[in-house]
């Protein structure tokens, strides 16, 4: 190559994801699309992938994305003329224990609520589909008829041809070596054969995603670990239409393979691949097979399919596969730059390839995908997720736990304690059982004296070792006074002469409130969908302090920052590390706080939804009278070095009132019976404030703001779906993803679920069609068991906010 070439969209990496993005971009009208590939098409992890195509995931939208893959694979061979060896023969998943059966029952209900056909089978019915399996230990199975398997290299080559047929260029043998960034944009890409100018870059470098990101100063937590599978010699009399099969209790999966069988799995002791950096010229290569490490899987596979003990091994494949910090994909627009997208970290890239390519093309062309994909969004990660120190031990754990039972409440084991509150050691001494969120250690619950401070999760919440103790914490908030360490909140300030005007443009509420006001509001996109759900406190004429969830800080900051004026009149400052947060709440909260605060905190002096600078003990504190539990209370935002002191004086003052520590599991049950919503599950970019029952936060009279036209139309004409609250007659465990049924048909899926200790009922939220929003006669299905459900108007607790505003 000579001179400087140009591409409107430059994709780095010609694996299945890069080729699929190019394929879909060209079908959306983009012609100037170039893929740069350092070796050859499929030469990263694609070519040695096992090729299983499954669709069901715990997220409805991710499941929908994977269904798009199947839809594409159904037609791709006819469209391109390229053989892809697509075998839509279904997938089996065995259960060899009662707990695995519960996991499968949860999957059955999720599939039902997501509209994906899934069947429960007996052991004999499973064996009829997969005749070479032994039924030893098998209790039942689930079967998805529309799953299958495909030739990874063939489907990738077909996508590449489809892209080239519509004008895309794929250049192989050209390695990216650097990038030039100016004014938050990549303006040039350097390769070992020359330079490129471009309008937009897409990092599809798979296991190299982290290293390619570093060239542009972008955090991309995509690394790699070793994964092995074995290919047998031909097996006699193997049926031609066998499905794929997973036996997670024995850690193995199966795929039919040209008269033989592929057997792979996820052993507990894999190795990280190239933790010091991947060799520059590593390409279509395998690693030495490690039969010693594969021995456990071979024994377990031999138990499930004894026939493999009688045939030879054709090959043991050992290749690196990408892993992210939570074993899910890394997708979307990078928050650090304005024209850099990433689509990497695909553990199951063949299953996702078609759908992920479509979503990314929509993200690039339309500014957002047609499905809200927050569970895969690159903005869900923090700084530590991109470090080798964190990533490799966590990736090895995630790999080894791939087939582990995933009970609600399970926590990661490795790389804990990355971010800690100043109260961490104090609370640990008081029996705190910590969970991790955004790298923060947060108390989930507190073990009383004599109770071992460890989690014992179960599919039925009532069978956990924390259920009763969380109930006691819940009661303390409702009847007495409690302290909650919420230091993990992401905290920011927006400063400058243009701060108020910028927020007026962003928020649905009127932000021109007096200094000392606290405003709960939503930030919407042009379609009226909720991008952020935040609380702002106006602490000066030109200064707002805002708080969001610990996992949403990067997402919310990027959304706001991308809409701030370019003249510098408003700027964001991250103050998360500068302040700890102690929430004092409950009907006796004022009694305790008044004993240690120098200022008047009466209702007249300090009403609900206001903020004041007060003195607690000897500490300066920004007190915000708001909270997420539905009781009288204050969030005390304390300079970090004063946090331990403030906690101590509150504890001492509260002893006479029975004060106790409370964790995040109680918060969730408290907020649900109060009708408070959680962004990413109950409210998302898929839904507007009016649809979520938050129309009271929308001020259409204040002037223009993002999404106003859509919201004004919804207020005038009404909304289609609306969020409703349900309580169940039976105490079924609810977590979100359950099916809501009316008249024998699935009409909705729960967004959140928990147990309401006040009403002693299981409670859930779900969006319903408007025609059913006044109806009764609902049924909710959980773990395949059904219960009559009552729909409620308004919150279950303190509907008039009398306790909240006391």
């Amino acid at each position: 190559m000579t001179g400087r070439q140009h591409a409107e969209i430059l994709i780095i990496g010609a694996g299945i994801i890069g080729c699929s993005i190019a394929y879909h971009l060209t079908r959306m009208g983009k012609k100037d699309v170039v893929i740069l590939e350092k070796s050859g098409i499929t030469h990263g992890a694609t070519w040695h992938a096992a090729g299983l195509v499954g669709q069901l995931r715990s997220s409805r939208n991710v499941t929908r994305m994977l269904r798009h893959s199947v839809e594409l694979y159904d037609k791709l061979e006819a469209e391109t003329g390229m053989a892809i060896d697509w075998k839509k023969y279904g997938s089996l998943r065995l259960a060899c224990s009662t707990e695995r059966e519960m996991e499968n029952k949860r999957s059955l209900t999720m599939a039902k609520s997501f509209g994906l056909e899934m069947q429960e089978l007996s052991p004999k019915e499973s064996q009829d589909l997969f005749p070479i399996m032994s039924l030893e230990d098998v209790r039942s199975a689930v079967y998805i008829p529309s799953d299958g398997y495909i030739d990874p290299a063939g489907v990738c080559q077909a996508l590449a041809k489809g892209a080239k047929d519509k004008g895309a260029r794929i250049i192989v043998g050209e390695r990216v070596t650097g990038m030039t960034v100016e004014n938050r944009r990549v303006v040039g890409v350097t390769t070992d054969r020359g330079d490129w100018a471009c309008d937009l870059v897409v990092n599809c470098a798979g296991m190299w995603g982290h290293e390619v990101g570093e060239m542009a100063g972008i955090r991309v937590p995509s690394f790699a670990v070793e994964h092995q599978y074995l290919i047998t010699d031909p097996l006699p009399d193997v049926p031609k239409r066998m499905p794929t099969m997973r036996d997670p209790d024995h850690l193995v999966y199966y795929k039919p393979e040209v008269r033989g069988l592929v057997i792979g799995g996820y052993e507990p002791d894999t190795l990280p691949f190239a933790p010091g950096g991947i060799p520059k010229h590593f390409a279509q290569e395998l690693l030495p097979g490690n039969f010693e490490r594969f021995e456990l899987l071979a024994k377990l596979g031999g138990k499930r399919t004894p026939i493999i003990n009688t045939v030879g091994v054709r090959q043991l494949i050992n290749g690196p596969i990408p892993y992210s910090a939570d074993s899910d994909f890394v997708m979307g627009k990078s928050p650090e730059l304005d024209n850099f997208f990433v689509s990497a970290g695909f553990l199951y890239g063949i299953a996702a390839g078609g759908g992920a390519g479509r979503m990314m093309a929509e993200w690039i062309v339309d500014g957002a995908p047609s499905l809200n994909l927050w569970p895969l969004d690159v903005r869900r990660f923090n700084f530590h997720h991109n470090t080798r120190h964190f990533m490799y031990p966590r990736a090895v754990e995630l790999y080894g736990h791939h087939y582990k039972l995933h009970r609600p409440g399970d926590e990661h084991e490795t790389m804990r304690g990355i971010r800690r509150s100043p109260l961490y050691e104090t609370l640990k001494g008081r029996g705190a059982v910590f969970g991790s969120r955004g790298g923060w250690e947060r108390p989930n619950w507190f073990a009383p004296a004599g109770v071992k401070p460890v989690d014992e999760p179960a599919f039925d919440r009532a069978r956990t070792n924390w259920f009763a103790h969380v109930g006691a914490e819940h009661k303390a908030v409702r009847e007495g006074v409690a302290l909650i360490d919420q230091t993990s909140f992401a905290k920011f300030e927006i400063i400058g002469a243009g701060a108020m005007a910028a927020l007026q443009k962003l928020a649905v509420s009127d932000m021109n409130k007096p200094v000392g006001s606290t405003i709960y509001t939503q930030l919407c996109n042009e379609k009226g969908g909720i991008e952020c759900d935040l609380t702002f406190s106006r602490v000066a004429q030109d200064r707002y302090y805002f708080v969001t969830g610990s996992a949403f800080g990067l997402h919310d900051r990027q959304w706001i920052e991308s809409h701030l004026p370019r003249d510098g009149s408003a700027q964001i400052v991250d103050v998360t590390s500068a302040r700890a947060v102690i929430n004092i709440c409950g009907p006796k909260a004022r009694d305790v706080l008044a004993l240690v605060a120098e200022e008047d905190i009466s209702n007249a002096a300090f009403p609900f939804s206001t903020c004041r600078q007060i003195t607690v003990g000897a500490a300066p504190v920004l007190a915000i009278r708001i909270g997420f539990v539905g009781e009288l209370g204050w969030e005390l935002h304390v300079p970090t070095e004063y946090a331990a002191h403030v906690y101590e004086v509150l504890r001492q003052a509260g002893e006479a009132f029975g004060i106790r520590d409370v964790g995040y599991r109680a918060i969730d049950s408290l907020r649900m019976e109060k009708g408070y919503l959680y962004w990413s599950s109950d409210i998302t970019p898929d839904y507007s404030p009016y649809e979520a029952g938050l129309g009271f936060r929308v001020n259409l009279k204040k002037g223009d703001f993002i999404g106003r036209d859509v919201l004004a139309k919804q207020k005038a004409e009404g909304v289609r779906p609306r969020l409703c609250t349900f309580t169940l007659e039976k105490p079924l465990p609810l977590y979100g993803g359950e099916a809501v049924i009316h008249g024998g048909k699935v009409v909705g899926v729960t967004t959140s679920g928990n147990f309401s200790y006040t009403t002693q009922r299981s409670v859930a939220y779900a969006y319903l069609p408007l025609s059913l929003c006044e109806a009764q006669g609902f049924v909710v299905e959980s773990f395949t068991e059904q219960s009559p459900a009552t729909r409620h108007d308004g919150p279950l607790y303190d509907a008039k906010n009398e306790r909240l505003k006391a």
Side-chain angles (χ1 to χ4, degrees), residues 171-437:
I171 300 173
V172 299
E174 185 163 344
R175 182 169 58 88
V176 173
T177 58
M179 298 186 199
T180 303
V181 176
E182 296 177 2
N183 298 320
R184 289 182 53 88
R185 298 182 66 83
V186 175
V187 296
V189 173
T190 303
T191 77
D192 57 1
R193 294 174 57 189
D195 296 329
W196 288 81
C198 59
D199 299 335
L200 187 145
V201 174
V202 191
N203 178 356
C204 298
M207 70 184 85
W208 293 271
H210 170 77
E211 296 178 11
V212 169
E214 283 185 325
M215 296 178 188
I218 299 298
R219 296 195 296 273
V220 181
S222 176
F223 296 76
V225 298
E226 294 187 13
H227 175 65
Q228 296 191 120
Y229 63 83
L230 179 150
I231 305 174
T232 71
D233 283 337
L235 304 178
D237 303 322
V238 174
K240 293 182 178 181
R241 296 182 63 87
M242 284 201 307
T244 63
M245 186 177 76
R246 296 165 179 84
D247 183 358
D249 288 306
H250 292 85
L251 306 180
V252 292
Y253 64 78
Y254 296 86
K255 184 194 82 167
E257 170 84 10
V258 191
R259 295 179 294 132
L261 202 63
V262 165
I263 307 166
Y266 296 88
E267 72 279 12
D269 57 351
T270 192
L271 297 175
F273 173 64
I278 302 174
K280 290 181 180 180
H281 299 289
F282 186 88
Q284 193 178 19
E285 301 175 42
L286 292 174
L287 307 172
N290 188 325
F291 280 93
E292 183 178 348
R293 202 174 76 236
F294 196 79
E295 183 180 7
L296 171 64
L297 301 180
K299 287 181 177 178
L300 294 170
K303 174 184 174 182
R304 178 58 58 225
T305 50
I307 192 172
I308 70 169
N309 297 319
T310 66
V311 298
V313 174
R314 190 194 315 171
Q315 190 176 10
L316 180 63
I317 303 288
N318 184 12
I321 59 172
Y323 253 86
S324 75
D326 61 4
S327 75
D328 229 326
F329 314 150
V330 186
M331 294 174 62
K333 184 178 179 182
S334 165
E336 294 99 336
L337 296 178
D338 295 334
N339 69 336
F340 193 99
F341 286 77
V342 59
S343 193
F346 282 78
L347 166 61
Y348 45 97
I350 307 305
R358 173 174 165 178
M359 293 301 105
M360 286 300 302
E362 293 173 354
W363 225 321
I364 292 164
V365 176
D366 299 333
S370 54
L371 299 173
N372 166 46
L373 294 177
W374 169 247
L376 311 178
D377 196 306
V378 63
R379 293 171 293 178
R380 74 191 188 273
F381 295 115
N382 297 107
F383 179 87
H384 65 279
H385 291 125
N386 200 52
T387 63
R388 287 181 168 87
H389 178 83
F390 176 90
M391 255 308 301
Y392 285 108
R394 175 59 62 85
V396 170
E397 179 198 0
L398 290 168
Y399 180 94
H401 287 188
H402 186 82
Y403 281 154
K404 180 184 176 182
L405 278 162
H406 296 291
R407 306 175 187 88
D410 275 337
E411 295 280 350
H412 292 303
E413 299 169 3
T414 59
M415 302 314 299
R416 295 290 299 271
I418 300 294
R419 306 171 82 182
R420 303 179 211 178
S421 158
L423 304 180
Y424 174 81
E425 292 296 341
T426 298
L427 299 180
K428 184 177 181 181
R430 291 187 173 275
V433 183
F434 292 95
S436 180
R437 184 72 166 167

Side-chain angles (χ1 to χ4, degrees), residues 269 276 285 349 382 407 441 454 465 478 504 515 590 592 650 708:
D269 57 351
E285 301 175 42
N382 297 107
R407 306 175 187 88
E441 293 295 312
V454 295
N465 67 326
R478 290 284 180 250
Q504 286 286 61
V515 173
R590 182 179 286 115
V592 175
L650 289 170
R708 184 189 183 282

Side-chain angles (χ1 to χ4, degrees), residues 470-529:
V470 170
E473 294 176 16
H474 183 113
K475 183 178 181 181
V477 174
R478 290 284 180 250
E479 299 179 4
V481 58
L483 297 177
I484 309 174
D485 181 10
Q486 295 187 294
T487 299
S488 64
F489 278 148
K491 302 168 283 282
F492 302 87
E493 291 187 351
I494 300 182
I495 303 171
M500 190 273 290
L503 290 180
Q504 286 286 61
K505 182 70 174 176
L506 276 163
V508 302
S509 306
D510 183 5
M511 305 301 290
N512 190 15
K513 298 291 186 180
V515 173
S517 299
T518 294
I519 309 153
Y520 168 57
T521 191
Q522 291 75 45
L523 314 185
C524 292
N525 56 38
E526 295 289 356
K527 298 178 181 178

Side-chain angles (χ1 to χ4, degrees), residues 512-674:
N512 190 15
K513 298 291 186 180
V515 173
S517 299
T518 294
I519 309 153
Y520 168 57
T521 191
Q522 291 75 45
L523 314 185
C524 292
N525 56 38
E526 295 289 356
K527 298 178 181 178
I530 301 171
E531 291 286 346
C532 309
D533 183 65
L534 306 165
T535 300
F536 290 87
S537 294
R538 194 171 192 179
V539 293
Q541 280 298 123
D542 60 352
R543 185 167 154 233
Y544 290 79
Y545 177 76
F546 77 88
V547 176
T548 188
S550 56
F552 309 140
L554 183 58
H555 171 278
D556 292 0
R557 174 179 182 161
Q558 188 271 336
W559 180 261
I560 294 171
E561 205 160 39
S562 67
H563 291 90
L564 290 182
R566 297 294 185 179
D567 60 7
S569 61
Q571 298 181 353
I572 288 186
V573 179
D574 187 339
V575 295
T576 299
S577 300
R579 293 182 185 269
V581 180
I582 302 171
N583 186 351
I584 183 169
C585 53
K588 299 177 183 178
R590 182 179 286 115
D591 298 329
V592 175
L593 187 58
L595 292 176
V596 294
E598 295 188 1
E599 294 75 18
D600 182 2
I601 62 164
S602 67
N603 201 39
F606 202 152
F608 178 72
S609 202
T610 62
C611 62
R612 300 282 186 275
Q613 194 71 38
I614 66 173
T615 304
V616 177
V621 172
L622 174 63
I624 304 176
R625 194 173 158 198
I626 202 164
F628 202 46
V629 297
E631 293 289 346
L632 168 68
W634 287 263
E635 288 179 5
L636 305 178
H637 294 249
V638 186
T640 303
E641 69 272 23
Y642 287 99
H645 167 68
V646 170
Y647 176 83
E648 288 162 4
V649 297
L650 289 170
R651 282 290 315 195
Q652 185 175 3
E655 290 298 336
F657 298 89
I659 198 168
R660 68 179 296 163
D661 297 299
V662 165
Y664 272 79
R665 291 205 172 110
I667 291 175
D668 196 63
S669 66
L670 289 158
R671 68 98 183 172
M672 286 206 67
E673 62 185 32
K674 177 57 182 163

Side-chain angles (χ1 to χ4, degrees), residues 128-151:
D128 289 343
L129 290 172
F130 203 89
I132 63 173
M133 67 181 278
S134 160
L135 294 184
E136 183 180 356
D137 299 331
V138 178
R139 298 174 61 91
S140 61
V142 289
Y143 174 63
I144 298 178
S146 57
D147 284 350
Y149 55 97
I150 200 166
D151 172 33

Side-chain angles (χ1 to χ4, degrees), residues 11-32:
I11 298 171
I12 301 172
I16 189 168
I17 304 302
C19 291
S20 181
I21 293 172
Y23 171 93
H24 285 93
L25 283 171
T26 58
R27 275 141 189 82
M28 295 181 73
K30 293 295 181 181
K31 301 300 182 185
D32 191 9

Side-chain angles (χ1 to χ4, degrees), residues 58 98-107 110 404-412 435 444-445 454-467 470 665 668 732-738 753-755 782-783:
S58 60
T98 55
E99 281 198 300
R100 189 70 69 179
E101 284 192 297
M102 287 295 290
E103 185 176 74
N104 280 355
K105 287 179 183 295
R106 178 159 168 75
S107 295
M110 277 190 176
K404 180 184 176 182
L405 278 162
H406 296 291
R407 306 175 187 88
D410 275 337
E411 295 280 350
H412 292 303
N444 276 338
W445 61 286
V454 295
D455 277 342
E456 295 176 9
F459 288 102
D460 185 347
R461 186 181 282 107
R463 296 179 181 273
T464 64
N465 67 326
W466 65 75
F467 182 77
V470 170
R665 291 205 172 110
D668 196 63
L732 301 183
L734 302 177
Y735 300 100
E738 294 84 18
N754 209 319
F755 182 78
S782 173
F783 293 92

